[in-house]
Amino acid sequence: MDRPEIILAPGPTPIPPEVLLAQGSPLVYHRGPGFGNLMRDVTDRLKELYRTDTADVLLMTSSGSGGLESTVQNLFSPGDEVLVPLAGFFSERFKKLAEAFGLTVRTIEYEWGTKVRPDDVAAALAEHPVKAVLLTQSETSTGVIQPIQELARAAREAGALVVVDVVSSLGAVPFEFDEWGIDVAVGGSQKALSASPGIAFVAIGDRAWAASDTATNPRFYFDWRIYKTFADLPNPENPWTPAISVMQGLQAALRLYFQDGVDVALARHRMLSTAVKEGAKALGLDLFGEGLEDNWTVTAIRAPEAADADTISDTIRAVWGCVLAPGQGPLKGKVFRIGHFGYFSELDIIRGLAALEMTLEKLGHPVKRGAAVAAAETVFMGSR
Ligand SMILES: Cc1ncc(COP(=O)(O)O)c(C=O)c1O
């Protein structure tokens, strides 16, 4: 019998029925008061999520990468220098994106799975100032949450703009646009908010707007100025035909998210991540990455001797219909990743851990049946 797969990967995340219904309802025409109200509501809630009273939040029809590309186009001119601390797949991709638009990229290189050190950033900037530091809050390839507040402080003190990829972290872990002095932060609809893929949101502060006035990189579809002109209309609009259905779903997703509020959502992410980690440990598995306490979005787990990590993620999907994420880059075959941000409940995690237990047993790893489930239940009962 066909059933939907059980997604326990770090995005796209499972979509709640309310969101599916909203995006399946009749289209709101994209010019006029109906869409204007929709866009205003989505934008206001996103500002609350970013924790900003000062920034503009622009909505673009694209995945998160489009929002990141818009940043490189709008802030910089060819030859501008930026610093990108490299600690995983997505920070490396940010570097490639910057290079594709003619920026000169300086790097600090870390082993994958480590945290970027604010002192290293301060020292690199003291030795060689740059226009901006490009950061990734949740390094989805390793599960590590980077210390953005401290990194932003180091960058600001050196006079650099602070650009943060929050695609896989906004709504899942603490983030404070205004308080931390962030200049640009880019998120996506399909991660912690559990809407469909298709909308990127870009928060832009005053210093970033000033930089964009003098930037000469080519820009058209993602030109922030034209988005702002349309967003400031009495009935806000997108310059181009937007992903209207996704926007309708995103509104429903944000309503659900704010029913409980940000703090409850963050506490849930923390609890679910603890349950996954305790469950994995109870199966004799080793966790990967630094700062596990802070890593509430995705958990990278080292493969045991019995099977490589790709075999585990392939088998659990083939046998149980459960989608985990494989390792990327140098971690391919070595770790598999469980995503636990978005619209997940305790029982979704239990279901995934049960499938993991049976998969590992099948692959010859010694498992005490029910051990991971019991460990997760202990976490959940302790928080009720
Ligand atoms: C940290 C991070 N940045 C950027 C991206 C790219 O986002 P998208 O696939 O929405 O373009 C992802 C996707 O997983 C991500 O996790």
Side-chain angles (χ1 to χ4, degrees):
M1 191 195 302
D2 281 346
R3 286 176 190 277
E5 288 189 306
I6 298 165
I7 298 177
L8 272 169
T13 53
I15 300 178
E18 290 86 339
V19 176
L20 292 173
L21 285 170
Q23 69 191 31
S25 51
L27 279 190
V28 177
Y29 192 72
H30 66 298
R31 315 239 178 254
F35 189 80
N37 288 336
L38 169 59
M39 209 172 127
R40 198 178 293 110
D41 187 35
V42 167
T43 307
D44 287 349
R45 285 181 193 267
L46 284 172
K47 282 186 186 165
E48 207 175 326
L49 196 56
Y50 274 113
R51 306 259 192 186
T52 182
D53 296 321
T54 57
D56 287 294
V57 173
L58 304 180
L59 305 171
M60 298 170 186
T61 299
S62 80
S63 73
S65 302
L68 294 169
E69 183 153 328
S70 85
T71 301
V72 173
Q73 291 174 340
N74 282 273
L75 280 184
F76 303 111
S77 307
D80 276 350
E81 290 189 305
V82 293
L83 177 69
V84 186
L86 301 178
F89 181 85
F90 289 98
S91 45
E92 291 192 0
R93 200 149 90 173
F94 217 167
K95 168 178 180 275
K96 287 186 192 144
L97 170 56
E99 285 171 345
F101 281 87
L103 306 196
T104 301
V105 180
R106 306 181 68 84
T107 59
I108 310 174
E109 289 183 32
Y110 295 89
E111 208 173 305
W112 283 33
T114 47
K115 280 196 192 249
V116 175
R117 313 266 176 243
D119 286 351
D120 293 347
V121 169
L125 294 175
E127 194 184 309
H128 192 104
V130 295
K131 183 160 183 182
V133 180
L134 312 184
L135 302 168
T136 303
Q137 187 179 25
S138 162
E139 181 44 85
T140 322
S141 61
T142 66
V144 172
I145 300 296
Q146 300 295 354
I148 296 300
Q149 183 175 10
E150 294 77 11
L151 294 170
R153 188 180 304 129
R156 277 230 155 194
E157 282 171 7
L161 292 167
V162 185
V163 178
V164 192
D165 170 347
V166 293
V167 171
S168 71
S169 54
L170 188 70
V173 297
F175 186 75
E176 300 279 346
F177 190 96
D178 289 353
E179 202 180 308
W180 295 354
I182 308 298
D183 295 297
V184 180
V186 180
S189 49
Q190 81 278 24
K191 301 283 190 181
L193 296 175
S194 283
S196 281
I199 295 182
F201 14 95
V202 185
I204 305 162
D206 290 346
R207 295 201 318 162
W209 278 118
S212 85
D213 282 344
T214 53
T216 62
N217 265 347
R219 45 183 151 168
F220 188 77
Y221 182 84
F222 288 127
D223 190 332
W224 288 349
R225 295 164 299 191
I226 189 165
Y227 278 86
K228 178 147 172 63
T229 304
F230 279 75
D232 286 346
L233 290 172
N235 291 315
E237 294 180 17
N238 258 209
W240 330 114
T241 311
I244 301 170
S245 305
V246 182
M247 190 84 83
Q248 290 172 228
L250 179 57
Q251 182 184 40
L254 283 160
R255 274 193 189 143
L256 271 182
Y257 187 96
F258 279 97
Q259 260 174 18
D260 293 335
V262 179
D263 292 340
V264 171
L266 299 186
R268 189 183 77 245
H269 286 115
R270 177 183 204 162
M271 175 184 68
L272 298 180
S273 87
T274 307
V276 167
K277 290 178 179 97
E278 292 304 315
K281 286 196 277 184
L283 295 174
L285 301 176
D286 292 327
L287 304 177
F288 176 84
E290 204 181 343
L292 291 167
E293 273 286 289
D294 304 327
N295 302 344
W296 304 349
T297 59
V298 51
T299 296
I301 300 171
R302 289 185 196 273
E305 261 176 37
D308 88 349
D310 286 357
T311 307
I312 294 170
S313 49
D314 289 349
T315 308
I316 194 170
R317 186 169 189 179
V319 177
W320 300 106
C322 181
V323 184
L324 309 183
Q328 292 171 296
L331 300 180
K332 185 153 181 53
K334 297 194 175 126
V335 306
F336 61 93
R337 294 170 297 140
I338 299 183
H340 33 69
F341 58 20
Y343 182 74
F344 285 115
S345 72
E346 291 94 324
L347 293 184
D348 296 321
I349 300 298
I350 296 251
R351 191 162 68 152
L353 288 173
L356 180 61
E357 287 179 358
M358 293 186 282
T359 302
L360 289 173
E361 181 177 325
K362 186 177 164 65
L363 293 172
H365 176 71
V367 164
K368 182 165 178 289
R369 286 187 192 165
V373 167
E377 285 178 3
T378 301
V379 173
F380 297 145
M381 293 303 281
S383 26
R384 289 228 163 216

